[in-house]
Amino acid sequence: MIELLATQYAYVLLFVLFGIGIYMVIANENLVKKLIGVSLFQSAIFLFFIAMAYVEGGSAPIVPADGPVASPLPQVIVLTAIVVGIAMTAVGLALVIRIYSEYGTLREDTLREVRADE
Amino acid sequence: MSSVGSLLDALGGFVDLLPVLLIVTPILMAAAPVALGLRFDRTGWTVAAITAVGLVSGALALAAEVYTRGAVIHNLGGYPRTYGIELVADEFSTAIIVLVATISAGVLAYTRRGGPRGNTFYSAYLLLTGGLLGISLTGDVFNLFVFLEISSLATYALIASGDGPESAVAALKYLILGTIGASIYLTGVAFLFMATGTLNMAELALAIPGAEAQVLVRAAFAFIFVGFALKVAQWPLHTWQPSAYQHAPDGVTPLVAALVSTASAYALGRVMYTVFGPDFLTSTPYLTEIVVTVGTVSILAGSTLAVIQRDVKRMLAFSSVSQFGLIVAAYGLVNETAFVGATIHLVGHGLMKAGLFAAVGLVSVSYGARTVDEYAGLATNRPVAAGATAALLIALVGVPPAVGFVGKWYIGLGAVRAEQWPVAVVIFLSTMLTLAYTARLLEKMYFTPASPLEAAHPSEPVAADGGDGAAPLDRGVPGAVSVGMVALVVVAAVGAIALGFAGGAFFELLDPFVSEVFN
């Protein structure tokens, strides 16, 4: 167990982050914080990609390189995924703004009450 | 003679480019309605219609090539597939491409008059179409994630374009859950990449059986399956779907309901069969059992929840949960018959739901009816809409010769061949359950006379001559319905029945793909 933590600590930390993100989405009543949770959750996955491309003593994958380099493919993937993630956050925040201007609240429980009254 | 040969060669080169054009054209054209909107009003529909016609003809040309001469494969940028991106149009994906192109073109006939209008709608529409075609064509698991997100992004925007604030809430719920679903899929992709070092589907299929860390491959499958279960709306991860369908504008629901979940379900089938392959599916303990259980529970839960709904759109949304349960269960059976059944049901369900949701929009405009009770007397007052809706509902139940029957028949036959008796029973039961909620609507439309008191917009009391009760009620705005709106519903109904005769043809067309996967 200790050995696992010492050698694979990045993966362990990232899965904790993964859990925190999804817990925020489920347990938090505030819509903006839910979106922050989604972002956190996605960041954990991005970092997971980066962590697994790590090569001991490797440099950044810029050609030409001397000696070992980190795998470039996950880095390309993460760049693309970050762009997708930002687009998602932007659309999500736009929807939150619309919900706030219509109902005057960001809390899900209050929102449920307001909608039940209508 | 040489000129004919060179023409064919030129066309051959063009066919090779078709997979790229089918994705790039709608995504590039998505900018046009907004850009042209700066100068002209209402150019969106024209741009979308021209693009849609182009996409339908492109899809048909591709289908002609694929079904006569075999798969068309394009390596983007000429990079080898080990690290480049490959677009693959094979027998399985071409069926979905034709479905996406034709349904999205058909929906335009509805939106011309039925709305939503405005250039931004058509931008999102084109983006969605491009994303869906991308999902169908891509041969790369990470690229699949990108296209999933492109089409989801457009879907969220389309759903949020509804009039009421409810649609923004529904869209946000879908956005949060949809993003989590796609991210969970991405985690699965990360595990696959860790285990094999490639992202190409064909390369993965070669690398997975020999991968040292089978634990990683199994973890990858688990994440990918849960991610898609969320995207396809399988019980208990379906909670985003009914409110998203219900609160989307009437012109958007046919598109979203017919195509978005269908593309995700297609992608699940593609990943399960092309990437992991039947050997992995059957050799991994409890895998098929879990997939089949998720599917069958969704069939039962979706149908049961559909029976208790009052809003027709919501009822049909829960019906989608159960119909996709049927498809997921068929994937879990891992045999040829069930797989072909699943493909037929994917296509058939898409067509039927497009027609049904368009009919719901039509009825709500022309008859002012949204709940099951308000559908009373539809047959006497709007016979064409009622007739087409009835035909589609009966097709959905699975009465021969409609397409709903063919899909369910092959899936049921597959269950019998796999000797999974509980699944066979549930599939039979699903027909009864589908009948339970469709019969409610049919009974209202044909056998309950409309009562003016129930009308959403009560009419003036009928004249003192006592009225014979059959006189058309003054509800809704019949004039607001265009020929295109009626045509979409009627064509979908005719198509759902005509496709029912094509079961054998489906089997033959899919045969090259199926025999390659299962052998």
Side-chain angles (χ1 to χ4, degrees), chain A residues 11 25 41-42 45 48 52 73-74 77 84 88 91 95 98 102-103 115, chain B residues 142 149 160 162-166 169 176 179 183 187 190 193-194 199:
Chain A
Y11 295 151
V25 175
F41 174 73
Q42 284 192 314
I45 299 169
F48 179 54
M52 75 185 171
L73 199 54
I77 285 169
V84 172
M88 284 300 154
V91 174
L95 291 174
R98 176 139 178 244
E102 295 275 0
Y103 293 108
R115 288 165 68 202
Chain B
F142 178 71
E149 290 291 67
D163 294 329
E166 288 280 336
V169 179
I176 290 173
T179 309
S183 303
T187 316
F193 184 73
M194 259 175 124
L199 290 167

PDB file of all heavy atoms in Angstrom, chain A residues 11 25 41-42 45 48 52 73-74 77 84 88 91 95 98 102-103 115, chain B residues 142 149 160 162-166 169 176 179 183 187 190 193-194 199:
ATOM      1  N   TYR A  11      -1.570   8.902  -9.851  1.00  0.00           N
ATOM      2  CA  TYR A  11      -2.857   8.283 -10.174  1.00  0.00           C
ATOM      3  C   TYR A  11      -3.806   8.344  -8.988  1.00  0.00           C
ATOM      4  O   TYR A  11      -4.990   8.657  -9.136  1.00  0.00           O
ATOM      5  CB  TYR A  11      -2.655   6.819 -10.589  1.00  0.00           C
ATOM      6  CG  TYR A  11      -1.881   6.656 -11.866  1.00  0.00           C
ATOM      7  CD1 TYR A  11      -1.100   5.535 -12.091  1.00  0.00           C
ATOM      8  CD2 TYR A  11      -1.952   7.626 -12.854  1.00  0.00           C
ATOM      9  CE1 TYR A  11      -0.393   5.374 -13.265  1.00  0.00           C
ATOM     10  CE2 TYR A  11      -1.241   7.482 -14.039  1.00  0.00           C
ATOM     11  CZ  TYR A  11      -0.463   6.360 -14.237  1.00  0.00           C
ATOM     12  OH  TYR A  11       0.235   6.215 -15.390  1.00  0.00           O
ATOM     13  N   VAL A  25     -20.758  17.608  -8.027  1.00  0.00           N
ATOM     14  CA  VAL A  25     -21.901  17.668  -8.943  1.00  0.00           C
ATOM     15  C   VAL A  25     -23.135  17.094  -8.265  1.00  0.00           C
ATOM     16  O   VAL A  25     -24.237  17.632  -8.383  1.00  0.00           O
ATOM     17  CB  VAL A  25     -21.594  16.868 -10.228  1.00  0.00           C
ATOM     18  CG1 VAL A  25     -22.806  16.824 -11.128  1.00  0.00           C
ATOM     19  CG2 VAL A  25     -20.425  17.471 -10.948  1.00  0.00           C
ATOM     20  N   PHE A  41     -13.736  17.479 -12.455  1.00  0.00           N
ATOM     21  CA  PHE A  41     -13.831  16.096 -12.879  1.00  0.00           C
ATOM     22  C   PHE A  41     -13.107  15.902 -14.217  1.00  0.00           C
ATOM     23  O   PHE A  41     -12.315  14.980 -14.397  1.00  0.00           O
ATOM     24  CB  PHE A  41     -15.327  15.803 -12.990  1.00  0.00           C
ATOM     25  CG  PHE A  41     -15.718  14.483 -13.545  1.00  0.00           C
ATOM     26  CD1 PHE A  41     -15.557  13.342 -12.786  1.00  0.00           C
ATOM     27  CD2 PHE A  41     -16.299  14.383 -14.797  1.00  0.00           C
ATOM     28  CE1 PHE A  41     -15.948  12.121 -13.286  1.00  0.00           C
ATOM     29  CE2 PHE A  41     -16.690  13.166 -15.291  1.00  0.00           C
ATOM     30  CZ  PHE A  41     -16.510  12.031 -14.535  1.00  0.00           C
ATOM     31  N   GLN A  42     -13.354  16.841 -15.141  1.00  0.00           N
ATOM     32  CA  GLN A  42     -12.692  16.753 -16.445  1.00  0.00           C
ATOM     33  C   GLN A  42     -11.193  16.980 -16.316  1.00  0.00           C
ATOM     34  O   GLN A  42     -10.399  16.277 -16.938  1.00  0.00           O
ATOM     35  CB  GLN A  42     -13.280  17.790 -17.399  1.00  0.00           C
ATOM     36  CG  GLN A  42     -14.639  17.386 -17.934  1.00  0.00           C
ATOM     37  CD  GLN A  42     -15.056  18.272 -19.074  1.00  0.00           C
ATOM     38  OE1 GLN A  42     -14.934  19.495 -18.993  1.00  0.00           O
ATOM     39  NE2 GLN A  42     -15.553  17.684 -20.143  1.00  0.00           N
ATOM     40  N   ILE A  45      -9.334  13.967 -15.451  1.00  0.00           N
ATOM     41  CA  ILE A  45      -9.123  13.042 -16.572  1.00  0.00           C
ATOM     42  C   ILE A  45      -7.989  13.542 -17.464  1.00  0.00           C
ATOM     43  O   ILE A  45      -7.144  12.765 -17.917  1.00  0.00           O
ATOM     44  CB  ILE A  45     -10.428  12.874 -17.365  1.00  0.00           C
ATOM     45  CG1 ILE A  45     -11.501  12.294 -16.462  1.00  0.00           C
ATOM     46  CG2 ILE A  45     -10.212  11.980 -18.568  1.00  0.00           C
ATOM     47  CD1 ILE A  45     -12.876  12.330 -17.053  1.00  0.00           C
ATOM     48  N   PHE A  48      -4.796  12.830 -15.873  1.00  0.00           N
ATOM     49  CA  PHE A  48      -4.546  11.394 -15.932  1.00  0.00           C
ATOM     50  C   PHE A  48      -3.863  11.039 -17.253  1.00  0.00           C
ATOM     51  O   PHE A  48      -2.900  10.282 -17.281  1.00  0.00           O
ATOM     52  CB  PHE A  48      -5.887  10.664 -15.784  1.00  0.00           C
ATOM     53  CG  PHE A  48      -5.796   9.167 -15.855  1.00  0.00           C
ATOM     54  CD1 PHE A  48      -4.933   8.476 -15.025  1.00  0.00           C
ATOM     55  CD2 PHE A  48      -6.581   8.453 -16.746  1.00  0.00           C
ATOM     56  CE1 PHE A  48      -4.854   7.097 -15.078  1.00  0.00           C
ATOM     57  CE2 PHE A  48      -6.508   7.078 -16.814  1.00  0.00           C
ATOM     58  CZ  PHE A  48      -5.636   6.402 -15.973  1.00  0.00           C
ATOM     59  N   MET A  52       0.048   9.589 -17.513  1.00  0.00           N
ATOM     60  CA  MET A  52       0.451   8.290 -18.051  1.00  0.00           C
ATOM     61  C   MET A  52       1.441   8.428 -19.209  1.00  0.00           C
ATOM     62  O   MET A  52       2.105   7.459 -19.559  1.00  0.00           O
ATOM     63  CB  MET A  52      -0.761   7.483 -18.495  1.00  0.00           C
ATOM     64  CG  MET A  52      -1.406   7.928 -19.772  1.00  0.00           C
ATOM     65  SD  MET A  52      -2.867   6.942 -20.005  1.00  0.00           S
ATOM     66  CE  MET A  52      -3.610   7.746 -21.361  1.00  0.00           C
ATOM     67  N   LEU A  73       1.268  11.901 -28.034  1.00  0.00           N
ATOM     68  CA  LEU A  73      -0.139  11.701 -28.390  1.00  0.00           C
ATOM     69  C   LEU A  73      -1.088  12.149 -27.272  1.00  0.00           C
ATOM     70  O   LEU A  73      -2.025  12.922 -27.524  1.00  0.00           O
ATOM     71  CB  LEU A  73      -0.359  10.236 -28.776  1.00  0.00           C
ATOM     72  CG  LEU A  73      -1.601   9.940 -29.575  1.00  0.00           C
ATOM     73  CD1 LEU A  73      -1.670  10.803 -30.821  1.00  0.00           C
ATOM     74  CD2 LEU A  73      -1.641   8.472 -29.978  1.00  0.00           C
ATOM     75  N   PRO A  74      -0.875  11.730 -26.005  1.00  0.00           N
ATOM     76  CA  PRO A  74      -1.787  12.176 -24.950  1.00  0.00           C
ATOM     77  C   PRO A  74      -1.805  13.690 -24.811  1.00  0.00           C
ATOM     78  O   PRO A  74      -2.845  14.266 -24.491  1.00  0.00           O
ATOM     79  CB  PRO A  74      -1.223  11.523 -23.688  1.00  0.00           C
ATOM     80  CG  PRO A  74      -0.483  10.346 -24.174  1.00  0.00           C
ATOM     81  CD  PRO A  74       0.078  10.743 -25.483  1.00  0.00           C
ATOM     82  N   ILE A  77      -4.088  15.016 -27.382  1.00  0.00           N
ATOM     83  CA  ILE A  77      -5.457  14.698 -26.998  1.00  0.00           C
ATOM     84  C   ILE A  77      -5.952  15.673 -25.945  1.00  0.00           C
ATOM     85  O   ILE A  77      -7.060  16.203 -26.038  1.00  0.00           O
ATOM     86  CB  ILE A  77      -5.504  13.255 -26.450  1.00  0.00           C
ATOM     87  CG1 ILE A  77      -5.396  12.276 -27.605  1.00  0.00           C
ATOM     88  CG2 ILE A  77      -6.748  13.006 -25.651  1.00  0.00           C
ATOM     89  CD1 ILE A  77      -5.180  10.866 -27.145  1.00  0.00           C
ATOM     90  N   VAL A  84     -12.628  21.426 -25.906  1.00  0.00           N
ATOM     91  CA  VAL A  84     -14.005  20.937 -25.790  1.00  0.00           C
ATOM     92  C   VAL A  84     -14.569  21.283 -24.417  1.00  0.00           C
ATOM     93  O   VAL A  84     -15.697  21.762 -24.285  1.00  0.00           O
ATOM     94  CB  VAL A  84     -14.031  19.411 -26.033  1.00  0.00           C
ATOM     95  CG1 VAL A  84     -15.385  18.848 -25.727  1.00  0.00           C
ATOM     96  CG2 VAL A  84     -13.640  19.093 -27.459  1.00  0.00           C
ATOM     97  N   MET A  88     -17.906  23.559 -23.320  1.00  0.00           N
ATOM     98  CA  MET A  88     -18.956  23.055 -22.441  1.00  0.00           C
ATOM     99  C   MET A  88     -19.220  24.021 -21.291  1.00  0.00           C
ATOM    100  O   MET A  88     -20.351  24.360 -20.987  1.00  0.00           O
ATOM    101  CB  MET A  88     -18.526  21.715 -21.828  1.00  0.00           C
ATOM    102  CG  MET A  88     -18.617  20.570 -22.757  1.00  0.00           C
ATOM    103  SD  MET A  88     -20.299  20.383 -23.313  1.00  0.00           S
ATOM    104  CE  MET A  88     -19.952  19.595 -24.848  1.00  0.00           C
ATOM    105  N   VAL A  91     -21.061  27.153 -22.492  1.00  0.00           N
ATOM    106  CA  VAL A  91     -22.495  26.936 -22.734  1.00  0.00           C
ATOM    107  C   VAL A  91     -23.219  26.754 -21.396  1.00  0.00           C
ATOM    108  O   VAL A  91     -24.293  27.312 -21.175  1.00  0.00           O
ATOM    109  CB  VAL A  91     -22.711  25.713 -23.646  1.00  0.00           C
ATOM    110  CG1 VAL A  91     -24.183  25.398 -23.780  1.00  0.00           C
ATOM    111  CG2 VAL A  91     -22.121  25.965 -25.012  1.00  0.00           C
ATOM    112  N   LEU A  95     -26.288  29.041 -19.812  1.00  0.00           N
ATOM    113  CA  LEU A  95     -27.572  28.513 -19.353  1.00  0.00           C
ATOM    114  C   LEU A  95     -27.845  28.942 -17.910  1.00  0.00           C
ATOM    115  O   LEU A  95     -28.979  29.283 -17.559  1.00  0.00           O
ATOM    116  CB  LEU A  95     -27.588  26.986 -19.455  1.00  0.00           C
ATOM    117  CG  LEU A  95     -27.593  26.413 -20.864  1.00  0.00           C
ATOM    118  CD1 LEU A  95     -27.460  24.907 -20.833  1.00  0.00           C
ATOM    119  CD2 LEU A  95     -28.866  26.806 -21.586  1.00  0.00           C
ATOM    120  N   ARG A  98     -29.147  32.382 -17.845  1.00  0.00           N
ATOM    121  CA  ARG A  98     -30.553  32.444 -18.258  1.00  0.00           C
ATOM    122  C   ARG A  98     -31.457  31.970 -17.121  1.00  0.00           C
ATOM    123  O   ARG A  98     -32.492  32.574 -16.845  1.00  0.00           O
ATOM    124  CB  ARG A  98     -30.732  31.557 -19.503  1.00  0.00           C
ATOM    125  CG  ARG A  98     -32.155  31.468 -19.942  1.00  0.00           C
ATOM    126  CD  ARG A  98     -32.328  31.526 -21.442  1.00  0.00           C
ATOM    127  NE  ARG A  98     -33.748  31.373 -21.735  1.00  0.00           N
ATOM    128  CZ  ARG A  98     -34.256  30.351 -22.398  1.00  0.00           C
ATOM    129  NH1 ARG A  98     -33.453  29.431 -22.890  1.00  0.00           N
ATOM    130  NH2 ARG A  98     -35.546  30.267 -22.598  1.00  0.00           N
ATOM    131  N   GLU A 102     -34.312  34.206 -15.079  1.00  0.00           N
ATOM    132  CA  GLU A 102     -35.732  33.813 -15.100  1.00  0.00           C
ATOM    133  C   GLU A 102     -36.253  33.553 -13.690  1.00  0.00           C
ATOM    134  O   GLU A 102     -37.372  33.918 -13.361  1.00  0.00           O
ATOM    135  CB  GLU A 102     -35.908  32.537 -15.932  1.00  0.00           C
ATOM    136  CG  GLU A 102     -35.574  32.695 -17.411  1.00  0.00           C
ATOM    137  CD  GLU A 102     -36.742  33.234 -18.213  1.00  0.00           C
ATOM    138  OE1 GLU A 102     -37.806  33.488 -17.608  1.00  0.00           O
ATOM    139  OE2 GLU A 102     -36.580  33.404 -19.432  1.00  0.00           O
ATOM    140  N   TYR A 103     -35.461  32.863 -12.878  1.00  0.00           N
ATOM    141  CA  TYR A 103     -35.973  32.428 -11.580  1.00  0.00           C
ATOM    142  C   TYR A 103     -35.382  33.188 -10.406  1.00  0.00           C
ATOM    143  O   TYR A 103     -35.863  33.066  -9.288  1.00  0.00           O
ATOM    144  CB  TYR A 103     -35.682  30.936 -11.382  1.00  0.00           C
ATOM    145  CG  TYR A 103     -36.436  30.027 -12.316  1.00  0.00           C
ATOM    146  CD1 TYR A 103     -35.788  29.362 -13.348  1.00  0.00           C
ATOM    147  CD2 TYR A 103     -37.810  29.822 -12.156  1.00  0.00           C
ATOM    148  CE1 TYR A 103     -36.475  28.530 -14.202  1.00  0.00           C
ATOM    149  CE2 TYR A 103     -38.504  28.984 -13.004  1.00  0.00           C
ATOM    150  CZ  TYR A 103     -37.830  28.334 -14.029  1.00  0.00           C
ATOM    151  OH  TYR A 103     -38.516  27.509 -14.873  1.00  0.00           O
ATOM    152  N   ARG A 115     -40.289  26.211  -9.215  1.00  0.00           N
ATOM    153  CA  ARG A 115     -40.935  25.573 -10.367  1.00  0.00           C
ATOM    154  C   ARG A 115     -42.175  24.816  -9.941  1.00  0.00           C
ATOM    155  O   ARG A 115     -43.138  24.718 -10.690  1.00  0.00           O
ATOM    156  CB  ARG A 115     -39.946  24.630 -11.063  1.00  0.00           C
ATOM    157  CG  ARG A 115     -38.888  25.393 -11.804  1.00  0.00           C
ATOM    158  CD  ARG A 115     -37.743  24.501 -12.175  1.00  0.00           C
ATOM    159  NE  ARG A 115     -38.133  23.516 -13.170  1.00  0.00           N
ATOM    160  CZ  ARG A 115     -37.473  22.371 -13.359  1.00  0.00           C
ATOM    161  NH1 ARG A 115     -36.446  22.079 -12.605  1.00  0.00           N
ATOM    162  NH2 ARG A 115     -37.860  21.542 -14.287  1.00  0.00           N
TER     163      ARG A 115
ATOM    164  N   PHE B 142     -10.731   8.430 -29.773  1.00  0.00           N
ATOM    165  CA  PHE B 142     -10.703   9.777 -29.200  1.00  0.00           C
ATOM    166  C   PHE B 142     -11.476  10.758 -30.067  1.00  0.00           C
ATOM    167  O   PHE B 142     -12.211  11.605 -29.575  1.00  0.00           O
ATOM    168  CB  PHE B 142      -9.273  10.286 -29.002  1.00  0.00           C
ATOM    169  CG  PHE B 142      -9.248  11.675 -28.460  1.00  0.00           C
ATOM    170  CD1 PHE B 142      -9.619  11.909 -27.153  1.00  0.00           C
ATOM    171  CD2 PHE B 142      -8.918  12.760 -29.256  1.00  0.00           C
ATOM    172  CE1 PHE B 142      -9.658  13.192 -26.646  1.00  0.00           C
ATOM    173  CE2 PHE B 142      -8.951  14.039 -28.756  1.00  0.00           C
ATOM    174  CZ  PHE B 142      -9.319  14.255 -27.447  1.00  0.00           C
ATOM    175  N   GLU B 149     -18.992  15.284 -28.304  1.00  0.00           N
ATOM    176  CA  GLU B 149     -19.120  16.570 -27.625  1.00  0.00           C
ATOM    177  C   GLU B 149     -19.619  17.654 -28.572  1.00  0.00           C
ATOM    178  O   GLU B 149     -20.392  18.514 -28.160  1.00  0.00           O
ATOM    179  CB  GLU B 149     -17.778  16.974 -26.992  1.00  0.00           C
ATOM    180  CG  GLU B 149     -17.385  16.111 -25.817  1.00  0.00           C
ATOM    181  CD  GLU B 149     -18.278  16.322 -24.599  1.00  0.00           C
ATOM    182  OE1 GLU B 149     -19.455  15.969 -24.673  1.00  0.00           O
ATOM    183  OE2 GLU B 149     -17.797  16.818 -23.584  1.00  0.00           O
ATOM    184  N   ALA B 160     -32.095  24.447 -25.281  1.00  0.00           N
ATOM    185  CA  ALA B 160     -32.269  25.682 -24.523  1.00  0.00           C
ATOM    186  C   ALA B 160     -32.970  26.756 -25.330  1.00  0.00           C
ATOM    187  O   ALA B 160     -33.415  27.754 -24.767  1.00  0.00           O
ATOM    188  CB  ALA B 160     -30.909  26.198 -24.059  1.00  0.00           C
ATOM    189  N   GLY B 162     -35.807  26.683 -26.477  1.00  0.00           N
ATOM    190  CA  GLY B 162     -37.247  26.661 -26.245  1.00  0.00           C
ATOM    191  C   GLY B 162     -37.723  27.971 -25.631  1.00  0.00           C
ATOM    192  O   GLY B 162     -36.930  28.748 -25.119  1.00  0.00           O
ATOM    193  N   ASP B 163     -39.057  28.189 -25.677  1.00  0.00           N
ATOM    194  CA  ASP B 163     -39.581  29.472 -25.219  1.00  0.00           C
ATOM    195  C   ASP B 163     -39.451  29.650 -23.719  1.00  0.00           C
ATOM    196  O   ASP B 163     -38.981  30.655 -23.228  1.00  0.00           O
ATOM    197  CB  ASP B 163     -41.069  29.584 -25.603  1.00  0.00           C
ATOM    198  CG  ASP B 163     -41.223  29.628 -27.104  1.00  0.00           C
ATOM    199  OD1 ASP B 163     -40.306  30.142 -27.766  1.00  0.00           O
ATOM    200  OD2 ASP B 163     -42.255  29.143 -27.609  1.00  0.00           O
ATOM    201  N   GLY B 164     -39.891  28.649 -22.957  1.00  0.00           N
ATOM    202  CA  GLY B 164     -39.993  28.821 -21.516  1.00  0.00           C
ATOM    203  C   GLY B 164     -38.653  28.693 -20.827  1.00  0.00           C
ATOM    204  O   GLY B 164     -37.691  28.177 -21.392  1.00  0.00           O
ATOM    205  N   PRO B 165     -38.577  29.181 -19.580  1.00  0.00           N
ATOM    206  CA  PRO B 165     -37.349  29.016 -18.805  1.00  0.00           C
ATOM    207  C   PRO B 165     -37.088  27.547 -18.457  1.00  0.00           C
ATOM    208  O   PRO B 165     -35.947  27.179 -18.189  1.00  0.00           O
ATOM    209  CB  PRO B 165     -37.615  29.834 -17.538  1.00  0.00           C
ATOM    210  CG  PRO B 165     -39.088  29.969 -17.458  1.00  0.00           C
ATOM    211  CD  PRO B 165     -39.592  29.942 -18.853  1.00  0.00           C
ATOM    212  N   GLU B 166     -38.143  26.740 -18.463  1.00  0.00           N
ATOM    213  CA  GLU B 166     -37.978  25.308 -18.177  1.00  0.00           C
ATOM    214  C   GLU B 166     -36.950  24.679 -19.110  1.00  0.00           C
ATOM    215  O   GLU B 166     -36.233  23.759 -18.731  1.00  0.00           O
ATOM    216  CB  GLU B 166     -39.316  24.575 -18.380  1.00  0.00           C
ATOM    217  CG  GLU B 166     -40.350  24.859 -17.322  1.00  0.00           C
ATOM    218  CD  GLU B 166     -40.099  24.047 -16.068  1.00  0.00           C
ATOM    219  OE1 GLU B 166     -39.449  23.002 -16.181  1.00  0.00           O
ATOM    220  OE2 GLU B 166     -40.538  24.478 -15.002  1.00  0.00           O
ATOM    221  N   VAL B 169     -33.453  24.979 -17.858  1.00  0.00           N
ATOM    222  CA  VAL B 169     -33.174  24.054 -16.758  1.00  0.00           C
ATOM    223  C   VAL B 169     -32.942  22.645 -17.310  1.00  0.00           C
ATOM    224  O   VAL B 169     -31.986  21.961 -16.932  1.00  0.00           O
ATOM    225  CB  VAL B 169     -34.335  24.056 -15.736  1.00  0.00           C
ATOM    226  CG1 VAL B 169     -34.047  23.064 -14.619  1.00  0.00           C
ATOM    227  CG2 VAL B 169     -34.541  25.439 -15.170  1.00  0.00           C
ATOM    228  N   ILE B 176     -24.902  18.882 -17.784  1.00  0.00           N
ATOM    229  CA  ILE B 176     -24.066  18.344 -16.701  1.00  0.00           C
ATOM    230  C   ILE B 176     -23.939  16.827 -16.854  1.00  0.00           C
ATOM    231  O   ILE B 176     -22.837  16.271 -16.849  1.00  0.00           O
ATOM    232  CB  ILE B 176     -24.647  18.750 -15.340  1.00  0.00           C
ATOM    233  CG1 ILE B 176     -24.452  20.247 -15.138  1.00  0.00           C
ATOM    234  CG2 ILE B 176     -23.973  17.963 -14.217  1.00  0.00           C
ATOM    235  CD1 ILE B 176     -25.112  20.802 -13.919  1.00  0.00           C
ATOM    236  N   THR B 179     -22.049  15.803 -20.158  1.00  0.00           N
ATOM    237  CA  THR B 179     -20.604  16.012 -20.079  1.00  0.00           C
ATOM    238  C   THR B 179     -19.961  14.938 -19.206  1.00  0.00           C
ATOM    239  O   THR B 179     -18.885  14.423 -19.527  1.00  0.00           O
ATOM    240  CB  THR B 179     -20.302  17.409 -19.509  1.00  0.00           C
ATOM    241  OG1 THR B 179     -21.054  18.348 -20.247  1.00  0.00           O
ATOM    242  CG2 THR B 179     -18.847  17.747 -19.625  1.00  0.00           C
ATOM    243  N   SER B 183     -17.200  12.343 -20.381  1.00  0.00           N
ATOM    244  CA  SER B 183     -15.921  12.303 -19.666  1.00  0.00           C
ATOM    245  C   SER B 183     -15.627  10.896 -19.163  1.00  0.00           C
ATOM    246  O   SER B 183     -14.465  10.470 -19.159  1.00  0.00           O
ATOM    247  CB  SER B 183     -15.933  13.271 -18.489  1.00  0.00           C
ATOM    248  OG  SER B 183     -16.217  14.558 -18.943  1.00  0.00           O
ATOM    249  N   THR B 187     -12.412   8.606 -19.913  1.00  0.00           N
ATOM    250  CA  THR B 187     -11.587   7.855 -18.963  1.00  0.00           C
ATOM    251  C   THR B 187     -11.352   6.438 -19.475  1.00  0.00           C
ATOM    252  O   THR B 187     -10.235   5.910 -19.389  1.00  0.00           O
ATOM    253  CB  THR B 187     -12.286   7.799 -17.593  1.00  0.00           C
ATOM    254  OG1 THR B 187     -12.792   9.085 -17.302  1.00  0.00           O
ATOM    255  CG2 THR B 187     -11.328   7.380 -16.509  1.00  0.00           C
ATOM    256  N   ALA B 190      -8.762   6.509 -21.975  1.00  0.00           N
ATOM    257  CA  ALA B 190      -7.430   6.629 -21.363  1.00  0.00           C
ATOM    258  C   ALA B 190      -6.909   5.250 -20.957  1.00  0.00           C
ATOM    259  O   ALA B 190      -5.736   4.928 -21.195  1.00  0.00           O
ATOM    260  CB  ALA B 190      -7.497   7.552 -20.147  1.00  0.00           C
ATOM    261  N   PHE B 193      -5.860   3.346 -23.978  1.00  0.00           N
ATOM    262  CA  PHE B 193      -4.588   3.848 -24.495  1.00  0.00           C
ATOM    263  C   PHE B 193      -3.426   3.353 -23.648  1.00  0.00           C
ATOM    264  O   PHE B 193      -2.372   2.985 -24.169  1.00  0.00           O
ATOM    265  CB  PHE B 193      -4.621   5.381 -24.541  1.00  0.00           C
ATOM    266  CG  PHE B 193      -3.397   5.983 -25.149  1.00  0.00           C
ATOM    267  CD1 PHE B 193      -3.183   5.902 -26.519  1.00  0.00           C
ATOM    268  CD2 PHE B 193      -2.450   6.619 -24.369  1.00  0.00           C
ATOM    269  CE1 PHE B 193      -2.048   6.440 -27.087  1.00  0.00           C
ATOM    270  CE2 PHE B 193      -1.310   7.162 -24.932  1.00  0.00           C
ATOM    271  CZ  PHE B 193      -1.108   7.068 -26.289  1.00  0.00           C
ATOM    272  N   MET B 194      -3.654   3.328 -22.319  1.00  0.00           N
ATOM    273  CA  MET B 194      -2.619   2.811 -21.423  1.00  0.00           C
ATOM    274  C   MET B 194      -2.303   1.348 -21.729  1.00  0.00           C
ATOM    275  O   MET B 194      -1.152   0.925 -21.706  1.00  0.00           O
ATOM    276  CB  MET B 194      -3.111   2.885 -19.979  1.00  0.00           C
ATOM    277  CG  MET B 194      -2.573   4.027 -19.186  1.00  0.00           C
ATOM    278  SD  MET B 194      -3.371   4.022 -17.584  1.00  0.00           S
ATOM    279  CE  MET B 194      -1.937   3.942 -16.550  1.00  0.00           C
ATOM    280  N   LEU B 199      -5.095   4.470 -30.531  1.00  0.00           N
ATOM    281  CA  LEU B 199      -6.465   4.954 -30.393  1.00  0.00           C
ATOM    282  C   LEU B 199      -7.312   4.566 -31.592  1.00  0.00           C
ATOM    283  O   LEU B 199      -8.510   4.807 -31.611  1.00  0.00           O
ATOM    284  CB  LEU B 199      -6.465   6.483 -30.248  1.00  0.00           C
ATOM    285  CG  LEU B 199      -5.908   7.013 -28.930  1.00  0.00           C
ATOM    286  CD1 LEU B 199      -5.661   8.493 -29.020  1.00  0.00           C
ATOM    287  CD2 LEU B 199      -6.855   6.712 -27.791  1.00  0.00           C
TER     288      LEU B 199
END
